[in-house]
Amino acid sequence: MPIRELQTKPYNDQKSGTAGLRKKVAVFQQPHYLENFLQSVFDVETSLRGKTLIIGGDGRYYNREAIYTAIAMAAANGVAKVVVGQGGLLSTPAASHLIRLRQAGGGFLFTASHNPAGPDGDFGIKFNVAGGGQAPEGLTTRIYEHSKTIQRYRVAEGMNLDLDRRGVQKLEEMEIEVVDCVEDYAALMQSLFDFDRIRDWFRKGGTLRFDAMHAVTGPYAQRILVEQLGAPGSALMNACPLEDFGGGHPDPNLIYARHLVELVNGAGAPDLAAASDGDGDRNMILGRGIFISPGDSLAMLAAHLDKLPGYRGGLKGLARSMPTCRAVDQVAKALRVECHETPTGWKFFANLFDAGRLTLCGEESFGTSSSHTREKDGLWAVLAWLNVLAHTGLSVRQIAQEHWRRFGRHYFARHDYEGLSAAAAASVMQALAEACPQLPGKRYGEWSVTQADEFGYRDPVDGSLAVGQGLSVVFGDAARIVLRQSGTGTEGATLRLYLERCEKLETALDWDANTALAPLAQIAERIVRIGELTGRKAPNLIT
Ligand code: G16
């Protein structure tokens, strides 16, 4: 089978965002677009030569084509072995786990996460490094710089691979192993959670609804929740992965998983309802009549982590991304463990995990995970909640109320302003940045500003510095306003405004989030002036 070197020209737009390269499918379908990016990775990350490479994706439109291309290029670029999920499927956390398990040199994850799929939807690539985490900023910058100069790429031609047949096949000198996408991941989950106790919980009548949103977690949920833990088949919704995710938007939040909110508020609500996203790294948790915000879910799991078998050795540390509400900080204080505040993007947690300074972390964007993998993990969070429910015998609501009484309640909402022009988004960011130095000491309603500045992060492990990671206006422990620009959109610019308010008063613990945050939203408009500067009367999305 010939290896060929083909001519190409740079595209100049292959800069990775918060989580890899994400573009419209049509962009990826341009001649050599995908090849250029992949070759840039092979050229820059030369350590992949002679190593194992993990490949998989969330099953969206263009997944198979991209995987065939990546395998043919891996063979031509000296990779020793490719391990690929059967049918091209691997959830993001399962792929990260496989990289670690097989001591691979890295992995290509074909996903645009929760972004819609199909010929008119989005596609994406994440390159994860040895160790399982996403490529760090320095590496993605070098790959981007290289992609601007690329003139040729290498590919093995005439490949005859059956992606649906498990087992080992050969391409040139390279071995290709097609693996069951669930097996190793399921074994990892069994090592972390008390499956016997969860099975018992189901046997005694505990009820669950899990929505895989026609994305990658369907087969994982079927094997683990139904076959191994004994949940009835009817516990799963939309468990068959589809190339266009059934035309839906697999972003588990209060808008795109509204049906789950209605379900838990209606008659016959399950004890636990949950959903995951396109590539299986996000999660949404609800109980009968209650939604658990991602920041709360992180804090509550942290407070109960010692009940889960895989974590009995103790907590090494906790972490959250900067815009995530500070509920987990209170738990860290009570447990006397380190609590890290990182920029948005899961990659910032990896060094802390590797250095043994972190056990559990999460983000407001419906991401939670632990040291078991180097990505956030949707199904892991569902299993963790099931294990906590089975261990304590409490309901989700009881766990939440007990938590709020002990630590105070952090009300949180994110207001998204989508489809702005780059100039409009920049002008809002700039106006707030300029206003920040004058804000400390100013009083707004019942709160006074204690700090207002741009967030930068010095990695405590390798000393690298990430600047320009969003702006925050802090009112002590009582409230906070955060503004940042999204790094994952594919159309226009998106501004995210995050509102957080902490209440310790018993009478205030049962407010609904809208009521609790309304005064802060008004203060945010006075300080951040999104409406005034962009003409937008209201956010497109509140989650
Ligand atoms: C990605 C990253 C997350 C991050 C999120 C933020 O999520 O993996 O770590 O929190 O983006 O997105 P934005 O920059 O738009 O606020 P995912 O699930 O899309 O991979």
Side-chain angles (χ1 to χ4, degrees):
M1 209 169 297
I3 288 183
R4 296 206 34 204
E5 192 156 293
L6 300 170
Q7 300 296 311
T8 187
K9 284 202 187 100
Y11 277 94
N12 295 318
D13 67 344
Q14 301 195 322
K15 189 169 169 48
S16 291
T18 316
L21 184 68
R22 279 185 201 169
K23 301 277 177 194
K24 290 273 160 219
V25 167
V27 173
F28 271 99
Q29 286 172 326
Q30 297 173 94
H32 316 314
Y33 190 89
L34 175 67
E35 289 87 342
N36 277 13
F37 184 78
L38 295 172
Q39 188 63 52
S40 300
V41 175
F42 287 123
D43 287 348
V44 171
E45 191 69 328
T46 49
S47 64
L48 288 174
R49 282 181 212 143
K51 293 268 178 55
T52 297
L53 181 68
I54 308 297
I55 298 185
D58 60 17
R60 67 177 58 227
Y61 184 81
Y62 203 55
N63 191 44
R64 278 179 178 258
E65 287 91 322
I67 287 179
Y68 280 111
T69 302
I71 293 175
M73 290 184 65
N77 280 282
V79 169
K81 175 170 181 162
V82 160
V83 177
V84 58
Q86 189 176 14
L89 293 184
L90 274 180
S91 78
T92 288
S96 173
H97 173 54
L98 260 185
I99 294 174
R100 291 157 62 76
L101 191 69
R102 300 295 190 108
Q103 296 178 334
F108 287 124
L109 284 58
F110 294 100
T111 173
S113 188
H114 54 285
N115 294 17
D120 301 323
D122 291 347
F123 192 73
I125 311 179
K126 283 202 305 190
F127 174 59
N128 284 29
V129 293
Q134 292 169 32
E137 207 104 310
L139 178 57
T140 56
T141 305
R142 280 189 288 133
I143 293 169
Y144 172 52
E145 290 306 323
H146 187 75
S147 75
K148 292 195 281 189
T149 64
I150 196 155
Q151 299 295 335
R152 43 113 221 133
Y153 66 89
R154 288 167 66 79
V155 63
E157 290 201 321
M159 184 171 69
N160 181 20
L161 167 71
D162 183 355
L163 201 49
D164 296 303
R165 179 164 57 88
R166 264 183 249 171
V168 176
Q169 304 168 48
K170 267 244 163 192
L171 176 61
E172 290 293 319
E173 292 306 299
M174 191 178 81
E175 236 181 45
I176 305 166
E177 186 182 346
V178 179
V179 297
D180 178 288
C181 65
V182 183
E183 199 170 298
D184 291 317
Y185 176 82
L188 175 65
M189 294 302 113
Q190 277 189 46
S191 73
L192 300 174
F193 301 116
D194 191 340
F195 271 34
D196 286 338
R197 216 186 258 265
I198 301 175
R199 254 191 301 268
D200 218 42
W201 184 82
F202 278 120
R203 213 175 294 129
K204 288 185 181 141
T207 51
L208 164 77
R209 290 308 286 283
F210 174 78
D211 190 350
M213 300 185 118
H214 284 307
V216 80
T217 49
Y220 293 83
Q222 172 65 30
R223 183 91 53 88
I224 298 171
L225 297 172
V226 176
E227 291 164 29
Q228 299 184 343
L229 290 171
S234 56
L236 305 191
M237 302 160 73
N238 305 316
C240 171
L242 297 173
E243 278 202 332
D244 64 349
F245 300 146
H249 196 149
D251 192 0
N253 61 35
L254 293 173
I255 307 300
Y256 298 119
R258 179 89 222 146
H259 53 283
L260 287 186
V261 180
E262 279 152 22
L263 185 77
V264 298
N265 287 320
D271 294 308
L272 180 70
S276 193
D277 71 330
D279 61 329
D281 59 1
R282 297 189 175 203
N283 76 90
M284 182 190 192
I285 300 291
L286 305 105
R288 193 168 290 140
I290 189 168
F291 160 66
I292 304 294
S293 77
D296 264 348
S297 177
L298 170 65
M300 291 170 194
L301 287 180
H304 288 278
L305 210 65
D306 58 342
K307 303 185 176 70
L308 313 182
Y311 303 89
R312 293 226 167 98
L315 262 175
K316 293 190 174 128
L318 294 165
R320 59 167 173 81
S321 65
M322 185 275 269
T324 305
C325 80
R326 295 172 289 177
V328 73
D329 302 35
Q330 299 303 320
V331 181
K333 215 183 278 170
L335 298 178
R336 299 197 184 165
V337 292
E338 265 190 307
C339 188
H340 306 272
E341 184 181 46
T342 60
T344 294
W346 204 262
K347 59 184 163 217
F348 292 101
F349 297 126
N351 277 352
L352 295 166
F353 279 130
D354 289 344
R357 293 178 63 173
L358 182 56
T359 302
L360 177 69
C361 57
E363 294 187 287
E364 52 68 39
S365 55
F366 294 80
T368 330
S369 195
S370 83
S371 45
H372 69 284
T373 184
R374 291 294 177 270
E375 288 278 2
K376 53 191 193 254
D377 190 344
L379 213 49
W380 174 92
V382 179
L383 290 166
W385 269 94
L386 278 172
N387 201 152
V388 170
L389 296 181
H391 186 102
T392 58
L394 299 173
S395 69
V396 173
R397 176 178 285 280
Q398 286 167 329
I399 286 172
Q401 282 173 335
E402 205 175 73
H403 188 95
W404 295 334
R405 248 173 243 126
R406 179 166 173 210
F407 297 103
R409 179 169 180 186
H410 286 75
Y411 292 94
F412 178 84
R414 187 177 95 185
H415 293 197
D416 291 343
Y417 295 80
E418 298 175 331
L420 295 168
S421 69
S427 73
V428 178
M429 293 295 297
Q430 196 189 333
L432 181 58
E434 284 167 9
C436 275
Q438 283 83 52
L439 291 175
K442 280 204 177 154
R443 202 173 169 79
Y444 293 88
E446 60 185 282
W447 301 299
S448 296
V449 177
T450 52
Q451 191 187 336
D453 51 18
E454 185 175 84
F455 181 62
Y457 177 69
R458 167 99 42 208
D459 187 302
V461 181
D462 66 16
S464 61
L465 186 67
V467 292
Q469 299 295 322
L471 299 156
S472 67
V473 181
V474 184
F475 305 87
D477 284 340
R480 199 166 63 127
I481 296 168
V482 172
L483 180 74
R484 63 176 278 278
Q485 196 170 329
S486 157
T488 57
T490 57
E491 262 166 312
T494 296
L495 281 179
R496 304 205 196 282
L497 178 74
Y498 309 80
L499 306 174
E500 168 194 336
R501 168 177 186 181
C502 179
E503 268 305 330
K504 294 210 156 108
L505 266 184
E506 184 78 19
T507 48
L509 294 186
D510 255 338
W511 291 347
D512 72 87
N514 281 341
T515 313
L517 292 169
L520 196 61
Q522 282 173 9
I523 293 171
E525 185 46 42
R526 279 167 63 199
I527 297 179
V528 185
R529 296 158 53 215
I530 298 185
E532 184 190 325
L533 296 170
T534 67
R536 291 284 177 89
K537 297 252 177 318
N540 305 69
L541 213 66
I542 299 183
T543 54

